[in-house]
Amino acid sequence: MMWGLVGLGGAAGTALGAFVLRKPSPRRLLVSTAVVCGLLGVCSAYPYVPIMTAPLTFGVLGSAASMIAVGTAPPVWLDRRSIRRSTLAVIKRLAIYCAVGVTSALFGYLAVRAGTTLYVKLR
């Protein structure tokens, strides 16, 4: 059951990645990464039915990593300076995607936790 949910999440993430990469642009990739990671942060903090949300989250995360890897600039290997330049460009883009993803996931997680805490305290 659990591996089926992970596979289902991976299929959903792959379909989302294929949809986003139809017309790749830096802005579209960053926004889609932020939305996917924010929703995954929400799913990880959601207190109800964690046995279903956790495997789906892991499946989408696994395919989101491949979406980001495909979305980075393809390296050009011509000479020594090109190798260094393209490696630095890929590292910079991956760092930006990771920073946006982590920030969005943390924001989604904290939004659910803060809302749950506020609901419990006001009840």
Side-chain angles (χ1 to χ4, degrees), residues 68-90:
I68 292 171
V70 169
T72 59
V76 178
W77 309 102
L78 297 174
D79 61 353
R80 287 190 150 191
R81 277 186 277 164
S82 297
I83 292 171
R84 188 177 305 130
R85 197 171 357 154
S86 61
T87 303
L88 290 175
V90 168

Side-chain angles (χ1 to χ4, degrees), residues 44-103:
S44 67
Y46 191 67
Y48 307 107
V49 197
I51 195 141
M52 288 200 56
T53 57
L56 283 171
T57 302
F58 287 124
V60 174
L61 269 178
S63 61
S66 62
M67 179 177 72
I68 292 171
V70 169
T72 59
V76 178
W77 309 102
L78 297 174
D79 61 353
R80 287 190 150 191
R81 277 186 277 164
S82 297
I83 292 171
R84 188 177 305 130
R85 197 171 357 154
S86 61
T87 303
L88 290 175
V90 168
I91 288 171
K92 184 177 84 170
R93 283 193 178 172
L94 281 176
I96 290 171
Y97 284 119
C98 288
V100 167
V102 167
T103 304

Side-chain angles (χ1 to χ4, degrees), residues 36-47 57 104-105 107-112:
V36 166
C37 291
L39 288 174
L40 292 176
V42 167
C43 285
S44 67
Y46 191 67
T57 302
S104 300
F107 181 72
Y109 178 83
L110 291 176
V112 170

